[in-house]
Amino acid sequence: MAISLTAAAVPCVKSEQCISSSASAKLSALSSLQLRFPANSGKIGISTPRIAVSSRARNATVVAQAKKQTYSSLDDLLAQADKPVLVDFYATWCGPCQFMVPILNEVSIALKDKIRVVKIDTEKYPSIASQYAIEALPTFILFKDGKPFDRFEGALTANQLIQRVEESLKVKQ
């Protein structure tokens, strides 16, 4: 049995995330690498916990996907929003900001009927960061009716972020 890895097995999601030419060359070199298992080994036993899953769950699709939309300004986005908007001000070099990526996805799914989650890169849009006096990353601003009505900084767990947003929505309605 032989398994080979090809460079095509690594998809490019965004142009800025594409593999550099040197990394691509290394992947191409690896693509000829083959993993060989001894012929007399028979079956390979892999221990995994057993979880009862219905056939529906096995065929389930992704619950939510990020939508990349373009607006001429943050003000346009806020004006068109039909529900409160949680804006995450981040930078690609910020460790806590990267920690928040899966958490924001989880929060976005959990609160999909209550809020909309938007991310703004402060390196690409310094004027927006300046407009809202962003001095620490990550900074979260919750907007309602186009105006900021809650603000907090720092990395949080999904449960902490959900609780903070829900409490803010209850108190300031």
Side-chain angles (χ1 to χ4, degrees), residues 87-98 100 120-123 125-126 128-141 151-156:
V87 179
D88 169 27
F89 291 91
Y90 75 101
T92 56
W93 50 262
C94 168
C97 299
Q98 299 309 312
M100 292 301 298
I120 295 181
D121 186 348
T122 57
E123 296 289 307
Y125 303 100
I128 297 173
S130 178
Q131 178 183 353
Y132 291 101
I134 305 302
E135 296 177 357
L137 296 174
T139 293
F140 302 93
I141 300 179
R151 177 188 182 116
F152 45 99
E153 299 170 347
L156 301 168

Side-chain angles (χ1 to χ4, degrees), residues 12-20:
C12 180
V13 179
K14 293 183 180 176
S15 60
E16 63 263 40
Q17 293 176 338
C18 289
I19 300 170
S20 68

Side-chain angles (χ1 to χ4, degrees), residues 52-120:
V53 178
S54 71
S55 61
R56 277 189 188 158
R58 276 183 254 145
N59 296 326
T61 56
V62 177
V63 175
Q65 290 182 330
K67 289 193 280 184
K68 185 170 184 175
Q69 295 179 322
T70 304
Y71 292 88
S72 58
S73 71
L74 177 60
D75 294 331
D76 286 348
L77 179 142
L78 296 172
Q80 295 175 16
D82 58 343
K83 52 189 165 188
V85 178
L86 176 65
V87 179
D88 169 27
F89 291 91
Y90 75 101
T92 56
W93 50 262
C94 168
C97 299
Q98 299 309 312
F99 170 78
M100 292 301 298
V101 171
I103 291 170
L104 284 168
N105 289 336
E106 186 177 334
V107 169
S108 179
I109 292 167
L111 299 175
K112 69 180 178 213
D113 295 330
K114 296 181 181 179
I115 65 166
R116 180 174 183 188
V117 177
V118 175
K119 296 176 62 69
I120 295 181

